[in-house]
């Protein structure tokens, strides 16, 4: 389970369960785009696939350098996604690797 840590969301390490803000790094593994993470506590490294099947109206989390945002997919392009905040409070474009489907 993730929890808020200031303007970001902190996620637990799959090995040691220490929660920390980890924005990840886009990389490739076995010919597939993935986001890589590293736990500073136990040095565990893991990846998650970049979301490929996003559709308009999906609920997503966007991990940006300055904050974590939650919203609804508004438009989908090959390498980026437009996300709309609740009630239309904000609208932003994010790279696909920064988006996590909820």
């Amino acid at each position: 389970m993730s929890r808020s840590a200031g303007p970001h969301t902190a996620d637990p390490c799959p090995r040691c369960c220490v929660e920390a803000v980890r924005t990840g790094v886009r990389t490739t593994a076995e010919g597939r785009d993935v986001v890589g993470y590293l736990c500073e506590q136990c040095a565990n490294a893991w990846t998650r696939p970049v979301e490929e099947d996003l559709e308009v109206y999906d609920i997503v989390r966007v991990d940006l350098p300055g904050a974590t945002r939650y919203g609804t997919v508004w438009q989908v392009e090959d390498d980026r996604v437009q996300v709309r905040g609740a009630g239309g409070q904000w609208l932003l474009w994010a790279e696909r690797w920064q988006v996590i489907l909820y």
Side-chain angles (χ1 to χ4, degrees):
M1 187 64 152
S2 302
R3 66 174 176 80
S4 292
H8 291 279
T9 298
D11 295 308
C13 168
R15 179 187 291 161
C16 70
C17 298
V18 169
E19 290 183 339
V21 174
R22 300 177 182 95
T23 55
V25 177
R26 182 180 181 177
T27 188
T28 304
E30 298 176 10
R32 194 166 175 202
D33 286 336
V34 296
V35 180
Y37 299 94
L38 176 65
C39 177
E40 293 180 7
Q41 181 74 25
C42 70
N44 181 37
W46 69 97
T47 62
R48 69 164 174 84
V50 172
E51 303 291 350
E52 295 178 356
D53 59 348
L54 292 171
E55 296 181 9
V56 173
Y57 303 126
D58 281 344
I59 304 300
V60 295
R61 168 178 148 182
V62 184
D63 287 334
L64 300 169
T68 302
R69 299 278 184 116
Y70 296 85
T72 304
V73 172
W74 217 240
Q75 292 184 58
V76 179
E77 294 183 357
D78 289 340
D79 60 344
R80 64 186 192 151
V81 178
Q82 189 177 43
V83 180
R84 180 178 185 258
Q89 294 177 353
W90 49 265
L91 190 65
L92 63 83
W93 284 98
E95 293 183 46
R96 190 179 283 261
W97 70 271
Q98 295 173 306
V99 177
I100 300 171
L101 179 65
Y102 265 51

